[in-house]
């Protein structure tokens, strides 16, 4: 094992919350725009370089990639969804999300997220 591999393993072990990123390449969020996906794992992390939060996530059906979004509206939406899922004792497989790109009045692009409770989960919540 070389030094680079040793450092990578030590860092991964020290941050087990992000272990789901192991052996995955960073994917391009633009490929998810407008597609309904189901999150598998999600973490909200604080950027080391900027004073903001990011979400790191994987999606069902893609075992090769993880994705990162630093859009404030998406981060806030994910935090609300995390709270709702926790309160109802559900996991990410209870909802499907869609990420869309919108423009501000000044013409800046940013991402927003919409969610939908899946029918199976909705039936269980109603019981």
């Amino acid at each position: 094992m070389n030094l680079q591999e040793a450092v990578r393993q030590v860092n991964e072990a020290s941050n087990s919350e992000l272990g789901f990123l192991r052996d995955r390449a960073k994917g391009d969020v633009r490929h998810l725009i407008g597609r309904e996906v189901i999150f598998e794992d999600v973490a909200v992390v604080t950027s080391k370089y900027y004073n903001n939060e990011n979400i790191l996530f994987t999606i069902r059906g893609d075992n090769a990639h993880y994705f990162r979004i630093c859009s404030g509206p998406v981060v806030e939406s994910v935090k609300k969804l995390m709270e709702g899922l926790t309160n109802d004792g559900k996991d990410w497989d209870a909802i499907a999300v869609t990420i869309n790109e919108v423009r501000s009045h000044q013409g800046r692009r940013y991402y927003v997220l919409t969610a939908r409770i899946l029918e199976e989960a909705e039936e269980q919540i109603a019981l």
Side-chain angles (χ1 to χ4, degrees):
M1 173 185 329
N2 65 23
L3 180 58
Q4 186 176 17
E5 179 67 15
V7 168
R8 185 184 66 79
Q9 287 182 8
V10 167
N11 289 341
E12 287 177 350
S14 68
N15 200 350
S16 61
E17 178 186 344
L18 299 179
F20 66 89
L21 302 179
R22 187 173 297 124
D23 299 326
R24 292 176 183 252
K26 184 177 178 186
D28 189 342
V29 171
R30 292 176 294 187
H31 295 293
L32 303 179
I33 301 299
R35 285 181 42 205
E36 187 173 73
V37 296
I38 297 174
F39 289 157
E40 283 187 331
D41 292 294
V42 179
V44 178
V45 297
T46 302
S47 172
K48 292 180 183 179
Y49 306 105
Y50 304 102
N51 188 23
N52 67 355
E53 291 181 310
N54 298 273
I55 60 163
L56 298 169
F57 62 96
T58 59
I59 61 169
R60 182 186 288 175
D62 184 348
N63 295 326
H65 299 98
Y66 73 90
F67 301 90
R68 174 179 128 339
I69 296 180
C70 62
S71 173
V74 173
V75 172
E76 290 307 312
S77 295
V78 167
K79 289 163 103 177
K80 287 177 187 174
L81 290 172
M82 289 173 106
E83 182 180 344
L85 289 166
T86 300
N87 289 343
D88 283 351
K90 299 291 179 194
D91 202 357
W92 288 104
D93 60 357
I95 58 175
V97 299
T98 305
I99 299 165
N100 288 301
E101 185 178 70
V102 295
R103 287 187 183 260
S104 70
H105 293 292
Q106 294 82 22
R108 294 187 193 114
R109 295 180 185 169
Y110 63 98
Y111 297 123
V112 295
L113 181 134
T114 57
R116 173 178 74 84
I117 299 173
L118 297 175
E119 289 179 26
E120 313 83 59
E122 196 166 37
E123 291 169 4
Q124 291 176 358
I125 292 171
L127 295 177

